[in-house]
Amino acid sequence: MADARKTLPNTIVFSGLFFFVAIHTALALTLKDNGYKDLVVAISKDIEEDPNLIDNIKKGFTLASGYLYEATRYRAYFDTITIVVPETWKSKPEYLISSKESFENAHVRIVEGGEAYAPHVRNLVRCGQQAAGQMYLTPIFLDGQSNFGEPRRTIVHEFGHLRYGLFDEYAYEGKDPEAYLAEDGSTVVATGCSKAFSESIPVYKSRRDRTKCTANDDYAKCYAPSWKGTKGTASIMFFQHQKQIIHFCDSGNNPNTQHNILAPNRQNKRCKESSWYFMSRHEDFANENNPPGSTFRSTTPTFKVVQTRIGRVVLTLDVSGSMSGDKLVQLRQAARAFTENVPDSTPVSIVTFSNGATAIVTNRIVNDPADRQYIISNLPTAVGGFTGIGKGLDLSLDIITGVSGSHAPSAGTIVLITDGEETTSIRPVVSEVLPRIRDTEVTVNAIGIGQGASKLLEPLSKSTSGTFYFSPVNSALSQAISTLREALLTIILRLPSSSQSLTKESLLIQIYSSSVKLKAGENSTAGFTIDSGINTTIAFDWLTAVSSNEDLPNIYLTSPSGQLYQFSNLSFNLNFQTAELLPPASDEIGDWQYTVVNPRTFSREQVIAVSVSTRSTVEDPVVLAAQTAQANATYPNPVIIFADLTKGERRVAGASVVATISLPNNRIIIIDLIDNGNFPDSYKDDGTYAGTFTSFDGDGKYSVQVKASAAASQAQAVVFNPPVRMDPNATVNQRPLPPPTPVGKFLRTTSAGAFELQGYTNEDLLPPVDISDLEAMPSSWDRDYFAVTLQWTAPGDDGPNGNVTSYDIVYAGKFEDVRKFTSNVTHVQAGDVVDGSLDPLPGGLTESVTIRVKPSEQQRQNNDLYYFGIKSTDDMNLTSDVSNIVQLKKPALQPTATPSSNAAMIKVNEAALLFGLLLLLVLLFR
């Protein structure tokens, strides 16, 4: 396997670019008997209370349900829908109480936005696979007062993105051409789908010039408006606003719904097949799942309206014998941080388990420091026995429901922390408790400590819409302490009581988290930035217990104003092996620096972690949220990591975002997360950053941490408006979007969860990813040749890693020849290169090469229309699929010749001139 990555001590660094295994943090959405169960639509806390909004949600999704049923050929509609109103709204008797559904885990989010704020789905990355983000709608859109037409039609269009992983089939202004040439080389066709629909749209020279566009024009820049009288009944992913559009494009021969494979749109560039091709293979419909139902079936959903409430939180902690030593230290330090930061009014309990289960704190409501101190003082200090995970879960459910053995739905969250496999002789086991967990609708967030942690944790958390985290023990660069603390603080942010009910000024922000392993006498210096906050805590935790004050870590912390704090100036607790700088000293805004030293008197290695968290003091602080791929990954499938940077309803673009992955063999790898619109990122500068991880080193658990930062003038808060097709019949006066605003210098960190890899082999089984951004531009030509410049983003060997070994660039006069790489294509050779090189660059860089194209007789007869495509091959001879296919027509005029032809022409002309002069001299002197 080629490895062109730069190797640092225990660290590998590369840029994240391609491929993907999807995730989705929303609650489970299932299709049964043609009905989607439990679609969740949540209203943002920033929207003022408005009962009409609830009515508009019901109306919009009721009409969309019928439209979806027809569009899926009577296979799917919305059966049950839960609407989540924020806790900031007044309570009403008709609002049910829930802590399970929330704004954070909803499928659809209703957010603030004007008439120009486009409905969209975030984190769409792979064809045919559920998006990793949510659908975003606005109250104005649902009220029918936006530029995006009937809500029912656009909701189904966006659901195509969300559920089935479909891409748009229209052109993105400024990115994709509005029109292209048919294969006859003379007919200009609108970019779109279906074939009948796009071919019946008139294409004009410009928005102002309504002269028909011809092949002699710059047809890629021509204007293709939507037009009455067009033919075809598809496609919803192209132009759902047109009244006759009721289908998705398919691969059949009916021109009214036939997929337009030639159109240069995103669906073709990234997927190369029709929308229905992927939908029919989706788990909802594959293998004869949900066959067509009755055309007379009622598709009206059943709605329930819930309001989030603070549910009971139970820390369910493993105190078996294997949790001794460093693991117990980690557990106590992280549980203490969790207790200090959990929101006010939260009922907190602690259950410990080994051979049995014990409730050591029961529903203690945290309202003041004394409540928190009481919980902290009861954290476990001793371990022993076996691992009765099911026993601990069962007692935790008793506390949440209030009744032993109850299966009644209850508001609550279990935070399960364990390091081992369950002891099956201790009953009940997890499988016996799982039905009760599902019935009560309690969420389980599971954290595994060490590689030996139970393999049940990931499916347990996933089945309850919780998140799986992993904390390594004694890893080489000591993610041991920081990952467990990060996981627990991240869980706090995802509690329903945190995501919606808290005031903006009390939102917990994780600024910084890092850790280092030091030998005796070694030191480490680093820094962090506090941009705003109150009640800031700067905590130093160490892993190995010390026997005397001389062995305590030396800590030197310098504030932005130059104030030096040493260990003696900090508030320290030797029982928890932690030292903290507390407010008001810690609230100072600016750049901080610290140095930690493992004293020479202490002969053992010491792991020291630094964590900084604060409460925001500004309206709409910068917030980082991250998620990793499905927690159960299979080699060699790559894993994608997403990070969202927001500032209220705005997105933060222009930041630097990296993910740190802790590997089973005690190394870490750092990858860049990108926001440039290249796969797997969806849109450029939308505040969502994506990267790919492929550098597996064995089966086991991988932990992921994400950090985001920006210099003073680097990042901007933007109202992101994706390129969504507006309804031409809309009469709303569109106001311009607010301009971007500078964010300022900041630093954020969070846990993106964990995944467990299975099936690892030390073989390169992953072909290079398909190129999806190939572009072709005419360069120059003469009588026999013309030059074409091709540009694309270089793929890596494995995802973003390294280089591919070679490119195979081909061209032909027929689209299908290039698509299938038939014998009719011409393969570009090194001698055809006019400028640039065929030698691949590292993944993520821009390739540019100018080639000579020699027309064949067939191509001359085809009006000189050419199609270009690329495949790439790695060092194991694994080859990608063909890239997106681009077309180029050789213009009739013949301006500047190619550089090589110019040189030849100059030499010929010079020779002719010399010969003429010689002949003239001979004649003169005869």
Side-chain angles (χ1 to χ4, degrees), residues 14 77 126 140 245 297 465 535 597 613 642 646 686 694 725 765 787 804 817 822 826 833-834:
F14 59 84
Y77 67 98
R126 188 178 183 184
I140 290 179
I245 300 299
R297 163 181 256 156
S465 299
N535 294 326
V597 183
S613 59
F642 288 112
T646 57
D686 70 339
T694 59
R725 183 179 287 276
L765 304 176
V804 294
D817 286 335
T822 69
T826 299
V833 176
V834 175

Side-chain angles (χ1 to χ4, degrees), residues 896-917:
T896 310
T898 63
S900 58
S901 297
N902 277 336
M905 291 170 66
I906 290 171
K907 290 177 181 178
V908 169
N909 290 337
E910 287 175 348
L913 180 61
L914 290 172
F915 179 79
L917 288 172

Side-chain angles (χ1 to χ4, degrees), residues 457-536:
L457 300 182
E458 178 273 321
L460 174 63
S461 57
K462 180 180 178 180
S463 66
T464 63
S465 299
T467 305
F468 169 59
Y469 302 88
F470 168 65
S471 177
V473 179
N474 289 330
S475 66
L477 292 183
S478 70
Q479 298 300 300
I481 306 176
S482 58
T483 51
L484 186 56
R485 179 191 280 263
E486 272 182 10
L488 284 169
L489 294 182
T490 302
I491 288 171
I492 289 176
L493 290 171
R494 293 181 178 179
L495 291 174
S497 56
S498 295
S499 62
Q500 288 287 74
S501 65
L502 294 178
T503 63
K504 296 176 182 178
E505 288 72 25
S506 65
L507 185 64
L508 177 66
I509 303 291
Q510 292 188 69
I511 290 179
Y512 181 75
S513 178
S514 185
S515 47
V516 63
K517 177 177 284 187
L518 300 174
K519 296 179 180 179
E522 284 188 335
N523 67 80
S524 177
T525 298
F528 53 86
T529 298
I530 298 177
D531 55 294
S532 66
I534 58 172
N535 294 326
T536 304

Side-chain angles (χ1 to χ4, degrees), residues 286-575:
N287 302 318
E288 300 184 359
N289 290 335
N290 296 287
S294 169
T295 56
F296 301 103
R297 163 181 256 156
S298 172
T299 59
T300 301
T302 300
F303 292 92
K304 70 174 180 179
V305 182
V306 304
Q307 191 169 36
T308 302
R309 290 287 189 276
I310 296 177
R312 294 174 174 177
V313 177
V314 183
L315 288 175
T316 307
L317 309 178
D318 185 353
V319 293
S320 63
S322 59
M323 284 290 296
S324 61
D326 292 344
K327 295 177 185 177
L328 182 60
V329 174
Q330 286 188 70
L331 179 67
R332 284 170 49 79
Q333 290 170 336
R336 177 175 180 266
F338 179 90
T339 304
E340 289 176 337
N341 287 284
V342 74
D344 287 342
S345 303
T346 303
V348 176
S349 303
I350 298 177
V351 168
T352 59
F353 64 88
S354 56
N355 294 338
T358 305
I360 56 178
V361 175
T362 304
N363 289 329
R364 181 68 176 241
I365 299 176
V366 289
N367 284 320
D368 54 48
D371 297 318
R372 299 179 192 273
Q373 186 53 45
Y374 172 80
I375 297 170
I376 292 171
S377 66
N378 280 281
L379 289 173
T381 58
V383 296
F386 296 100
T387 311
I389 300 176
K391 197 83 171 176
L393 291 172
D394 202 41
L395 180 56
S396 300
L397 290 173
D398 287 346
I399 293 173
I400 290 174
T401 62
V403 179
S404 178
S406 173
H407 286 245
S410 304
T413 299
I414 294 174
V415 182
L416 172 66
I417 305 177
T418 182
D419 77 324
E421 296 287 352
E422 70 172 336
T423 304
T424 56
S425 60
I426 301 175
R427 310 303 287 269
V429 293
V430 172
S431 60
E432 295 168 336
V433 183
L434 188 56
R436 188 180 175 204
I437 295 174
R438 290 172 176 163
D439 290 343
T440 58
E441 299 183 353
V442 168
T443 298
V444 178
N445 294 289
I447 305 175
I449 299 179
Q451 291 294 334
S454 174
K455 288 181 170 55
L456 298 172
L457 300 182
E458 178 273 321
L460 174 63
S461 57
K462 180 180 178 180
S463 66
T464 63
S465 299
T467 305
F468 169 59
Y469 302 88
F470 168 65
S471 177
V473 179
N474 289 330
S475 66
L477 292 183
S478 70
Q479 298 300 300
I481 306 176
S482 58
T483 51
L484 186 56
R485 179 191 280 263
E486 272 182 10
L488 284 169
L489 294 182
T490 302
I491 288 171
I492 289 176
L493 290 171
R494 293 181 178 179
L495 291 174
S497 56
S498 295
S499 62
Q500 288 287 74
S501 65
L502 294 178
T503 63
K504 296 176 182 178
E505 288 72 25
S506 65
L507 185 64
L508 177 66
I509 303 291
Q510 292 188 69
I511 290 179
Y512 181 75
S513 178
S514 185
S515 47
V516 63
K517 177 177 284 187
L518 300 174
K519 296 179 180 179
E522 284 188 335
N523 67 80
S524 177
T525 298
F528 53 86
T529 298
I530 298 177
D531 55 294
S532 66
I534 58 172
N535 294 326
T536 304
T537 298
I538 304 173
F540 297 85
D541 296 329
W542 59 93
L543 196 59
T544 305
V546 296
S547 57
S548 66
N549 290 342
E550 287 77 15
D551 293 334
L552 288 170
N554 295 330
I555 297 173
Y556 305 92
L557 179 64
T558 304
S559 75
S561 64
Q563 179 67 47
L564 176 64
Y565 300 95
Q566 301 186 51
F567 191 96
S568 59
N569 305 123
L570 306 181
S571 174
F572 54 90
N573 188 319
L574 298 185
N575 289 328

Side-chain angles (χ1 to χ4, degrees), residues 36-92:
Y36 281 109
K37 315 291 182 183
D38 303 321
L39 182 78
V40 179
V41 181
I43 302 170
S44 168
K45 67 182 183 302
D46 296 322
I47 294 176
E48 294 184 3
E49 186 167 356
D50 180 10
N52 291 329
L53 177 55
I54 296 176
D55 293 337
N56 287 338
I57 292 172
K58 291 180 178 180
K59 178 181 177 181
F61 278 87
T62 297
L63 294 175
S65 181
Y67 188 42
L68 178 66
Y69 193 53
E70 185 175 14
T72 56
R73 308 177 191 190
Y74 310 108
R75 287 170 169 83
Y77 67 98
F78 299 128
D79 186 19
T80 59
I81 297 178
T82 299
I83 301 173
V84 183
V85 300
E87 194 174 350
T88 51
W89 288 20
K90 293 179 182 179
S91 298
K92 293 185 177 181

